[in-house]
Amino acid sequence: MRNPQMAPHGDGSGAAEEAAAGGAEKRPVSTIVILIAMQTEALPVVNRFQLVEDQDSLFPKGVPWVRYHGTYKDLNINLIWPGKDPSSGVDSVGTISASLVTYASIQALKPDLIINAGTAGGFKAKGASISDVFLASEVAFHDRRIPIPVFDLYGVGLRPAFSTPNLVKELNLKVGKLSTGDSLDMSQQDEATIFANDATIKDMEGAAIAYVADILKVPAIFVKAVTDIVDGDKPTAEEFLQNLATVTAALDQTVCQVVEFINGKCLSDL
């Protein structure tokens, strides 16, 4: 069942809106958006589903965002990669790009479901190992510190992911809480908040995507493959680069299984 925070919110007009929301639950998912931050993570999925790059962009002129699209069985698949930063030439990772491209993708494509797929750091103390693939149960920020009552809760921005018990059971996926921040490493302050968030995995996009999906009332799920052990003995950047290719293959396989499972199903069946 859809989490309340991910359900359409009415304006009090009553039964018609409730019926429309119920209809969305029972209608087979037809259009999905897959958001992936890095080209290395995105291309295996693009190739697997034989997606083609959009030559006539749906997005504003000048942005680096790239859309790959195609059809798989009954699904219209749109994979969005934020592209390369125009100034530095590296992947446009982080919460700002993720927020912008999520908003633009929802406005342009009106998806039934968003899948944020990517790599993440994992905590061995919470049972994570290299190449594990997790489905996030909740998402929150760990670097938005606003020590004022209520603003502190806004800063953390805790949100449930769209609940998919059948998907978890069918694919035997691990489930854990995801914490998001704009730094690859982890400061002591970040660590304290991540611990408070009870996170098993940490990334640089998830909570930002969840925020936009929530305010626009589009269900979102988060598929994260572990490249590095945050509470391990290896430097994060070194371990991330060492494992990226192998873990990306595991991520690609799982995303394929998720898409296969979604095909032909309604949101309420996930």
Side-chain angles (χ1 to χ4, degrees), residues 19 26 45 74 95 112 168 171 187-188 194 213 215 246 255 270:
K26 295 300 182 183
V45 180
D74 296 327
T95 60
D112 301 303
V168 171
L171 301 188
S187 70
Q188 289 184 337
I194 290 168
I215 61 175
T246 301
V255 170
L270 302 183

Side-chain angles (χ1 to χ4, degrees), residues 140-241:
F141 292 97
H142 57 253
D143 62 352
R144 302 202 313 177
R145 292 177 287 276
I146 313 173
I148 301 172
V150 187
F151 279 94
D152 55 352
L153 300 177
Y154 165 76
V156 172
L158 177 65
R159 287 175 174 81
F162 182 71
S163 181
T164 55
N166 296 324
L167 173 64
V168 171
K169 183 178 179 180
E170 178 70 20
L171 301 188
N172 195 28
L173 292 172
K174 290 192 171 185
V175 176
K177 297 177 182 179
L178 171 65
S179 195
T180 296
D182 270 309
S183 297
L184 182 66
D185 63 3
M186 182 175 66
S187 70
Q188 289 184 337
Q189 288 176 306
D190 289 347
E191 184 177 12
T193 307
I194 290 168
F195 181 79
N197 288 343
D198 192 29
T200 300
I201 44 178
K202 66 180 282 285
D203 78 343
M204 297 175 66
E205 288 86 21
I209 291 169
Y211 170 77
V212 179
D214 187 23
I215 61 175
L216 296 180
K217 305 309 163 198
V218 179
I221 63 175
F222 304 84
V223 182
K224 300 291 174 173
V226 177
T227 50
D228 54 278
I229 301 303
V230 185
D231 53 347
D233 54 7
K234 293 183 180 179
T236 296
E238 176 185 315
E239 192 171 27
F240 168 77
L241 293 172

